């Protein structure tokens, strides 16, 4: 097995008095795709947002337990959340490009990190667009409004924007759920290419997608981690009955 | 701890996840937050100050004038009988501070204005939301809002130079400037308020309700009168309450068109004097620190309290309506 | 048997809808008549001299320049005071403050403040700005009676408090309309709170904030009641301007300690208290037309801004 990138131990999360995650313990491997699956409301998206502390932005959230990245507990009180998020990219369910040009969207991250050199920024734009397989489609229209792109293009541009801050980990929250099959295929292909360099964690409600793109799969149900194993094992020979019922479509 | 985990935790020494952003950036962030917090606090302080200074000055009126004196004064006539008089006559040697004629004067202008404005304002709201062609509405609603932007002194001026003569010739009122003329003037200000808020309330009714009604074979008017209006009832009544509040608080129109004689009357064609007009007309001449001066602030308290309560009621109704309409 | 060919008749309904329609258009007609009358009576008076001359002959002749200048000066200072404070406190309320009982109280008070009669703000201005702050400054600085009397700055400050709720409410609405997903995207890229506000939230909220500002100017310029006893004057031969000199180089500056003429107040005075209201009628109509044009231009600009703003939101 590869090196571990992220470790969570006995993680509990509460919204007010309601417990949304119960005792989650799992190790996410480096430079692999890990998928979180489970019925809606099972806590998979909440757990994803624990990993870059996006839940901090919501009032009334309480978190207990350990989440460590590269050996560092990111919930330690000395941790700088802003720095943390710079190193962990995130792609959201619905494209959330800023109403700015394509170019400005990509250089937003580098710019707030203090990179202002025009040549460097141009290089970043080209590199990230090539990486996210959208360069050919946007290279002649970098100064157009990003919202003029199609839904699939917008989502790939969101990935390019996330890559521009040079993270090691990319979190994806159902990145293809709002897309048509062709765009979805392109995103999946892209995820496959990106895992050479990045650790990817993807939340999906689409089991075929999890089976296609991921190396490891975690099945969540009612805030608990039911089973975590290699994707092939989860989909062919799960050890828990609940997992089997879910992946075979008997409930969900 | 197994070998793999040991390796994982050993990475922590040079991990970039433990690093901090530049100290300068962090200090800057906290300073900026402090700056905005101070602004928020300053705005809050002004709100509290309005309250404090109005009440501080107004309650000093009670040092010399009793609370009951603001209602009526009892005077003993030469023949020994005691008379209860309701008069606002603060500058006399024997000053009388009854607010009754001023409150009645305010109601004599505000109530007719609210009735007129409700009829026309609700009709205009219905027209804009339910009857008008959506394309026209884009243009007509701003037109009504433009109405609301006319400075009230302009309305007062028009009522003074045109309205008064027009109604004088038409109705031969007792006084040329009277409560009726003022309430027509007030309607110009209140109608846009009611129309605009009524339109909002009707517009927020989900379209499903209209479709359901039409689907059962109802006509347009049946849908409006039996489905839409009842569903939007709370919103429409909130708009009327807000309009009434505006009518009570409006100054320039009543100052210029109501005639300013403190009559106690139910005759709408007589001159009346409102609370707002009294403050406006007398505050300029009053000597600071006198009973008269403080009693004008006391009128301010009365106005503040009435409008505050009306606004609060309207807000509660609107909030309830919002909750009900979000599914 | 189904009678599909039969037309359903609803006489009452048809008549009712026609009544609603007629009422609406009679309103529009009344508005147009009112405006038409002002334009027809006032247009003859308007000339270059009318706008830019001083009143003459006990205000029965001449122009209205001091009143126009005073209106501009007062609203200008009002905006300087109200807009930064209003926008910043709205940013605090929407971006920094946690949703609590306390912030809900502030929001409710601000909403309610917008409905408090403007004359009450005048009382506040007199009690707080002139008598408390002004007199207090006079005592501390030992300036005699300099600040503790009606003056341009106190009128501006009072109008600033009056329009503060307008600025705050429209800024809150504008900030609120920026989608949460855009903030998430920015935070996800490692932006700090202020970087997110500055680069993502404010650029999108700007047209909405601008709309509120313009509406505030229009409201301030049209108000009369609160400034009646805060420094508006019948007639002043001089503009509230003093030369500010650095060495030999002098520039004329608005002097906030002086009294001023005000367009809306000027109309009120001419119509109710002038020595010869009939003779000054053309000047009254002329002044009214100028005030109407001023406020309408501001309001129309605000309406267009808001229309575009809402449309651009619909597109997102």
């Amino acid at each position: 097995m590869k090196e571990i990138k992220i470790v969570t131990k006995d993680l509990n999360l509460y919204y007010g008095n309601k417990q949304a995650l119960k005792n989650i313990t799992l190790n996410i491997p480096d430079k692999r795709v890990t998928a979180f699956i489970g019925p809606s409301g099972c806590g998979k998206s909440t757990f994803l947002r624990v990993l870059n502390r996006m839940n901090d932005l919501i009032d009334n959230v309480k978190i207990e337990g350990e989440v460590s990245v590269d050996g560092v507990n990111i919930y330690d009180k000395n941790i700088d959340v802003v720095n943390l998020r710079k190193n962990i990219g995130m792609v959201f369910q619905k494209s959330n490009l800023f109403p700015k040009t394509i170019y400005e969207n990509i250089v937003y991250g580098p710019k707030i990190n203090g990179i202002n050199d025009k040549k460097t920024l141009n290089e970043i734009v080209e590199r990230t667009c090539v990486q996210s397989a959208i360069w050919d489609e946007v290279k002649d229209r970098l100064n157009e409004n990003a919202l003029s792109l199609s839904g699939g293009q917008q989502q790939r541009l969101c990935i390019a924007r996330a890559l521009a801050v040079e993270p090691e980990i990319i979190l994806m929250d159902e990145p293809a759920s709002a897309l048509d099959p062709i765009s979805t295929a392109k995103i999946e292909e892209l995820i496959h290419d990106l895992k050479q360099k990045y650790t990817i964690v993807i939340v999906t409600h689409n089991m075929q997608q999890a089976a296609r793109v991921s190396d490891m799969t975690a099945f969540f149900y009612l805030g608990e981690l039911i089973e975590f194993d290699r994707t092939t094992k989860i989909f062919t020979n799960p050890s828990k009955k609940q997992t089997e019922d879910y992946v075979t479509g008997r409930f969900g | 701890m197994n070998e793999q985990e040991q390796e994982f935790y050993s990475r922590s020494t040079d991990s970039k996840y433990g690093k901090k952003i530049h100290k300068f950036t962090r200090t800057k962030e906290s300073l900026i937050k402090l700056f905005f917090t101070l602004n928020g606090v300053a705005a809050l302080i002004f709100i509290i100050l309005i309250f404090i200074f109005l009440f501080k000055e107004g309650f000093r009126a009670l040092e010399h004038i009793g609370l009951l004196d603001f209602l009526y004064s009892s005077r003993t006539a030469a023949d020994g009988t005691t008379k209860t008089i309701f008069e606002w006559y603060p500058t006399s040697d024997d000053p009388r501070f009854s607010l009754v004629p001023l409150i009645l004067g305010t109601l004599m202008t505000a109530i007719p204005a609210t009735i007129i404005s409700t009829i026309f304002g609700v009709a205009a709201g219905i027209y804009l939301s339910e009857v008008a062609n959506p394309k026209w509405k884009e243009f007509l609603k701003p037109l009504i809002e433009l109405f609301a932007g006319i400075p009230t002194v302009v309305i007062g001026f028009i009522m003074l130079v045109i309205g008064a003569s027009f109604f004088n010739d038409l109705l031969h009122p007792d006084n040329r400037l009277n409560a009726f003329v003022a309430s027509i003037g007030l309607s110009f200000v209140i109608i846009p308020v009611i129309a605009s808020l009524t339109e909002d309330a009707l517009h927020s009714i989900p379209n499903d309700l209209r479709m359901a009604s039409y689907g059962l074979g109802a006509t347009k008017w049946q849908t409006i009168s039996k489905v839409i209006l009842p569903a939007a009832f709370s919103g429409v009544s909130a708009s009327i309450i807000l309009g009434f509040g505006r009518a009570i608080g409006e100054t320039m129109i009543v100052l210029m068109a109501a005639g300013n004689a403190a009559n106690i009357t139910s005759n709408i064609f007589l001159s009346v004097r409102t609370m707002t007009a009294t403050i406006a007309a007398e505050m300029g001449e009053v000597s600071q620190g006198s009973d008269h001066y403080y009693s004008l602030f006391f009128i301010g308290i009365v106005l503040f309290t009435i409008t505050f309560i009306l606004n609060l009621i309207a807000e509660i109704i609107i909030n309830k309506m919002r909750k009900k309409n979000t599914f | 048997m189904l009678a599909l060919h039969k037309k359903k008749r609803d006489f009452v309904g048809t008549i009712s809808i026609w009544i609603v329609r007629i009422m609406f258009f009679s309103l529009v007609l009344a508005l147009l008549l009112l405006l038409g009358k002002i334009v027809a009576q006032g247009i003859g008076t308007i000339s270059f001299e009318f706008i830019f001359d001083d009143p003459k002959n006990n205000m029965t002749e001449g122009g209205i320049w001091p009143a126009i200048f005073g209106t501009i000066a007062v609203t200008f200072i009002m905006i300087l005071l109200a807009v930064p404070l209003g926008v910043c406190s709205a940013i605090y309320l929407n971006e920094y403050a946690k949703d609590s009982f306390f912030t809900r109280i502030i929001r409710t008070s601000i909403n309610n403040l917008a409905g408090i009669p403007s004359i009450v703000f005048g009382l506040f201005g007199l009690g707080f700005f002139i008598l408390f702050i002004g007199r207090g400054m006079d005592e501390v600085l030992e300036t005699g009676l300099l600040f503790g009397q009606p003056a341009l700055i106190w009128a501006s400050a009072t109008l600033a408090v009056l329009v503060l709720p307008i600025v705050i409410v429209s800024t809150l609405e504008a900030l609120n309309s920026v989608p949460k997903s855009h903030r998430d995207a920015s935070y996800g890229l490692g932006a700090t709170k202020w970087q997110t506000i500055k680069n993502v939230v404010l650029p999108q909220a700007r047209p909405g904030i601008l709309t509120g500002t313009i509406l505030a100017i229009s409201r301030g310029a049209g108000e009369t009641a609160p400034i009646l006893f805060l420094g508006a004057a019948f007639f002043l031969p001089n503009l509230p301007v003093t030369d500010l000199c650095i060495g030999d180089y002098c520039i004329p500056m608005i002097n906030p300690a002086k009294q001023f003429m005000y367009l809306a107040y000027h109309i009120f005075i001419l119509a109710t208290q002038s020595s010869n209201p009939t003779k000054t009628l053309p000047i009254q109509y002329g002044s009214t037309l100028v005030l109407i044009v001023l406020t309408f231009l501001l309001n129309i600009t605000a309406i267009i801004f808001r229309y575009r703003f809402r449309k651009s939101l619909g597109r997102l």
Side-chain angles (χ1 to χ4, degrees):
Chain A
M1 192 174 162
K2 286 282 289 188
E3 279 179 358
I4 308 168
K5 189 72 182 171
I6 306 170
V7 167
T8 69
K9 273 187 192 153
D10 299 325
L11 183 101
N12 289 298
L13 181 143
Y14 305 85
Y15 288 118
N17 294 322
K18 204 177 139 264
Q19 184 162 15
L21 293 173
K22 293 169 195 159
N23 290 320
I24 311 283
T25 300
L26 90 170
N27 298 343
I28 295 172
D30 192 19
K31 301 211 169 48
R32 284 284 180 275
V33 178
T34 303
F36 296 167
I37 60 170
S40 40
C42 68
K44 56 190 194 296
S45 282
T46 305
F47 183 60
L48 189 77
R49 284 161 174 262
V50 163
L51 302 179
N52 69 342
R53 293 186 58 175
M54 275 312 251
N55 288 319
D56 288 18
L57 301 169
I58 308 167
D59 296 341
N60 275 330
V61 171
K62 205 178 84 193
I63 292 165
E64 293 165 353
E66 180 194 332
V67 183
S68 295
V69 183
D70 275 351
V72 175
N73 185 356
I74 61 169
Y75 280 88
D76 192 282
K77 61 177 186 302
N78 290 318
I79 291 297
D80 202 315
V81 186
V82 169
N83 179 60
L84 178 79
R85 296 204 191 108
K86 266 177 202 165
N87 292 304
I88 303 180
M90 187 154 193
V91 177
F92 298 82
Q93 186 170 4
K94 271 167 78 185
S95 143
N96 53 4
L97 292 170
F98 306 125
K100 302 174 185 236
T101 66
I102 295 170
Y103 184 88
E104 283 169 341
N105 264 284
I106 298 176
V107 301
Y108 179 83
K111 269 191 167 171
I112 57 173
N113 286 320
I115 301 172
N116 283 313
D117 178 49
K118 190 91 181 139
K119 207 167 141 251
T120 319
L121 291 175
N122 288 344
E123 282 166 16
I124 290 173
V125 171
E126 181 166 356
R127 176 176 57 79
T128 56
C129 284
V130 170
Q131 271 184 313
S132 53
I134 197 176
W135 178 243
D136 291 335
E137 290 153 73
V138 299
K139 66 182 177 201
D140 299 322
R141 46 195 291 206
L142 288 172
N143 289 319
E144 280 177 35
N145 191 327
L147 302 177
S148 63
L149 296 171
S150 75
Q153 288 172 324
Q154 287 196 22
Q155 201 55 302
R156 275 179 287 147
L157 191 61
C158 282
I159 295 175
R161 184 176 65 179
L163 294 177
V165 288
E166 300 186 15
E168 292 176 338
I169 303 166
I170 301 173
L171 309 176
M172 297 185 174
D173 189 357
E174 307 200 18
S177 68
L179 301 180
D180 60 276
I182 294 170
S183 303
T184 304
K186 279 187 179 165
I187 299 275
E188 287 177 9
E189 207 176 306
L190 178 56
I191 293 170
H192 193 77
D193 293 341
L194 290 173
K195 77 172 179 186
Q196 315 297 329
K197 278 189 74 182
Y198 304 92
T199 303
I200 294 171
V201 185
I202 177 171
V203 164
T204 177
H205 62 253
N206 178 336
M207 278 177 288
Q208 284 73 36
Q209 186 172 60
R212 282 192 300 262
V213 301
S214 69
D215 303 296
M216 301 291 288
T217 296
F219 170 61
F220 288 81
Y221 184 60
L222 296 177
E224 284 180 82
L225 176 64
I226 305 297
E227 194 170 350
F228 179 54
D229 215 322
R230 286 195 310 281
T231 300
T232 43
K233 174 127 190 323
I234 293 277
F235 282 95
T236 53
N237 185 22
S239 45
K240 296 267 171 62
K241 174 115 190 353
Q242 280 163 304
T243 316
E244 190 181 343
D245 286 350
Y246 184 70
V247 296
T248 53
R250 244 167 278 169
F251 82 88
Chain B
M1 212 184 250
N2 64 29
E3 216 175 284
Q4 208 179 10
E5 282 190 9
Q6 268 171 8
E7 190 276 331
F8 175 76
Y9 286 107
S10 71
R11 264 182 266 155
S12 70
T13 41
D14 49 23
S15 160
K16 58 181 177 181
Y17 296 96
K19 294 220 176 69
K20 298 217 161 191
I21 52 168
H22 206 283
K23 195 164 177 221
F24 174 75
T25 316
R26 266 184 298 145
T27 321
K28 195 173 129 191
E29 284 293 316
S30 352
L31 286 177
I32 288 170
K33 182 177 179 181
L34 181 71
F35 170 77
F36 285 116
T37 311
L38 287 178
N39 271 287
V41 171
L44 178 68
I45 287 176
F46 273 114
I47 298 170
I48 297 171
L49 281 177
I50 292 178
F51 201 74
I52 291 177
F53 273 85
L54 190 65
F55 279 75
K56 185 182 80 115
E57 300 282 280
F59 278 139
R60 288 187 67 180
L62 298 177
E63 286 172 14
H64 294 115
I65 314 163
L67 203 53
L68 278 182
D69 291 330
F70 279 118
L71 278 180
Y72 62 86
S73 23
S74 306
R75 294 288 183 272
T76 315
D79 59 355
T81 52
T82 312
K83 270 201 326 191
T84 304
I85 37 181
F86 300 96
E87 278 182 352
W88 173 258
Y89 211 151
T91 49
S92 145
D93 292 336
D94 173 26
R96 278 146 283 170
F97 291 99
S98 171
L99 298 187
V100 171
L102 309 183
I103 293 172
L104 288 178
T106 297
L107 295 179
M108 283 296 287
T109 53
I111 291 175
T114 309
I115 293 171
I116 298 168
S117 304
T118 300
I119 297 167
F120 278 90
V122 173
I126 293 173
Y127 178 80
L128 285 172
S129 173
E130 307 296 321
V131 182
N133 177 331
K135 257 192 204 158
W136 279 65
K137 189 188 145 184
E138 297 260 344
F139 167 76
L140 290 174
K141 192 172 184 200
L143 192 73
I144 292 295
E145 286 168 347
L146 211 54
F147 230 136
I150 300 176
T152 52
V153 70
V154 172
I155 310 279
F157 168 69
I158 292 295
M159 291 323 288
L160 186 66
V161 298
I162 305 170
S165 311
F166 176 76
F167 289 113
N168 200 25
D169 297 344
L170 193 70
L171 304 166
H172 305 289
D174 307 78
N175 295 117
R176 191 169 167 277
L177 296 177
N178 54 51
F180 178 73
V181 176
S183 48
I184 297 290
L186 285 176
S187 303
F188 276 92
V189 182
I190 317 301
I191 289 172
V193 175
I194 296 183
S196 182
L197 291 170
T198 298
E199 199 273 336
D200 286 345
L202 298 179
H203 195 76
S204 72
I205 301 297
N207 230 354
D208 304 357
L209 233 54
R210 291 184 187 87
M211 292 306 130
S213 172
Y214 288 132
L216 293 168
T219 64
K220 186 158 204 155
W221 182 251
Q222 284 166 338
T223 305
I224 294 171
S225 62
K226 299 217 168 70
V227 179
I228 308 294
L229 274 180
F233 179 76
S234 50
V236 175
S237 32
S239 78
I240 296 168
I241 293 170
L242 282 176
F244 185 52
R246 274 296 299 275
I248 287 176
E250 177 47 45
T251 310
M252 295 317 288
I253 296 170
V254 289
L255 181 63
M256 293 169 91
N260 289 333
N263 289 318
I264 296 182
T265 175
S266 58
N267 180 355
I268 198 171
F269 295 112
L270 271 178
S271 290
V272 294
R273 184 181 190 110
T274 67
M275 291 188 277
T276 51
T278 306
I279 300 174
E282 296 175 12
M283 191 48 104
E285 268 96 71
V286 73
S287 68
Q288 279 153 19
S290 63
D291 286 351
H292 184 192
Y293 169 84
Y294 291 125
S295 65
L296 292 180
F297 272 90
F298 190 81
I299 301 178
I301 297 180
V302 176
L303 273 174
F304 181 93
T305 313
I306 294 174
T307 48
F308 195 87
I309 291 172
L310 288 174
N311 289 336
L312 211 59
I313 293 173
E315 192 175 310
I316 291 168
I317 294 176
I318 288 173
N319 280 344
K320 268 202 184 148
M321 177 187 76
R322 282 219 184 105
K323 265 185 207 145
K324 208 177 71 184
N325 281 350
T326 43
F327 294 100
Chain C
M1 189 182 113
L2 275 174
L4 288 178
H5 62 280
K6 257 196 187 167
K7 240 186 163 175
K8 184 169 174 178
R9 289 186 197 278
D10 178 12
F11 283 116
V12 183
T14 316
I15 291 167
S16 305
I17 286 177
W18 268 104
I19 291 174
V20 164
R21 197 174 270 140
I22 289 166
M23 280 168 80
F24 181 83
F25 282 102
S26 58
L27 271 182
V28 175
L29 191 70
L31 173 69
L32 294 180
L33 277 177
L34 191 136
L35 295 182
K37 178 77 181 170
I38 294 170
V39 173
Q41 300 279 328
I43 198 86
T45 319
I46 304 285
S47 65
F48 185 82
E49 288 76 24
F50 180 72
I51 306 273
F52 291 104
D53 263 5
D54 288 345
K56 288 185 194 101
N57 220 346
N58 203 10
M59 294 204 288
T60 53
E61 287 165 33
I64 53 167
W65 173 242
I68 295 177
F69 181 85
T71 305
I72 294 171
V74 169
T75 42
F76 178 70
I77 295 177
M78 170 194 85
I79 285 305
L80 287 187
L81 296 173
V83 170
L85 178 65
V87 171
C88 291
S89 38
I91 291 176
Y92 168 73
L93 279 175
N94 208 58
E95 307 292 322
Y96 285 98
K98 291 212 166 88
D99 187 34
S100 65
F101 181 69
F102 176 70
T103 52
R104 248 172 286 155
I105 292 272
I106 302 184
R107 278 168 192 261
T108 306
S109 327
I110 290 168
N111 280 341
N112 263 314
L113 212 53
I116 298 300
S118 57
I119 188 85
V120 173
F121 284 91
L123 289 176
F124 167 69
L126 180 64
F128 179 67
F129 287 119
I130 297 183
L131 298 180
F132 184 74
I133 302 270
R135 291 276 158 88
M137 281 166 73
D138 282 342
E139 262 177 47
V140 173
L141 305 170
E142 298 180 345
T143 41
L145 193 65
L146 176 66
F147 296 109
Q149 55 185 348
L152 197 152
I153 181 70
W154 306 134
S156 296
T158 305
L159 288 178
V161 179
L162 175 80
V163 299
L164 196 60
I166 301 175
V167 177
I168 294 181
V169 169
S170 52
T171 306
L172 280 176
E173 191 196 335
L175 294 173
N176 229 335
S177 65
V178 179
K180 188 181 164 293
S181 66
H182 288 177
R183 291 167 223 252
D184 280 352
S186 177
Y187 290 128
L189 291 165
T192 62
K193 190 144 211 166
W194 172 238
Q195 284 169 334
T196 303
I197 295 173
K198 189 181 73 174
N199 297 317
V200 176
V201 178
L202 285 183
Q204 289 190 54
R206 195 176 295 139
I209 297 173
L210 214 55
T211 307
T213 306
I214 298 168
L215 286 176
I217 300 176
S218 157
R219 177 81 196 274
E223 270 299 344
T224 324
I227 59 153
L228 286 174
F229 32 86
L230 293 179
F234 279 47
F235 173 67
L236 287 171
N238 299 316
L239 296 180
V241 167
T242 307
D243 280 351
L244 190 76
C245 294
I246 302 160
D248 289 340
Y249 189 73
C250 289
I251 33 166
M253 289 284 286
I254 298 167
N255 184 340
K258 291 207 167 167
Q259 298 211 348
F260 55 91
M261 290 180 72
Y262 207 73
L263 200 49
Y265 184 67
H266 192 65
I267 296 167
F268 169 65
I269 286 301
L270 286 181
T272 58
Q273 304 182 16
S274 95
S275 48
N276 192 345
T278 330
K279 195 182 169 201
T280 58
L281 207 56
I283 299 182
Q284 295 171 37
Y285 273 112
S287 309
T288 306
L289 181 57
V290 172
L291 183 63
I292 284 272
V293 168
L294 191 75
T295 49
F296 270 30
L297 282 182
L298 287 167
N299 277 311
I300 289 170
T301 320
I303 286 168
I304 291 171
F305 260 117
R306 189 171 52 195
Y307 177 73
R308 286 216 188 138
F309 181 52
R310 290 194 177 149
K311 215 172 176 187
S312 76
L313 285 178
R315 198 169 49 90
L316 290 180

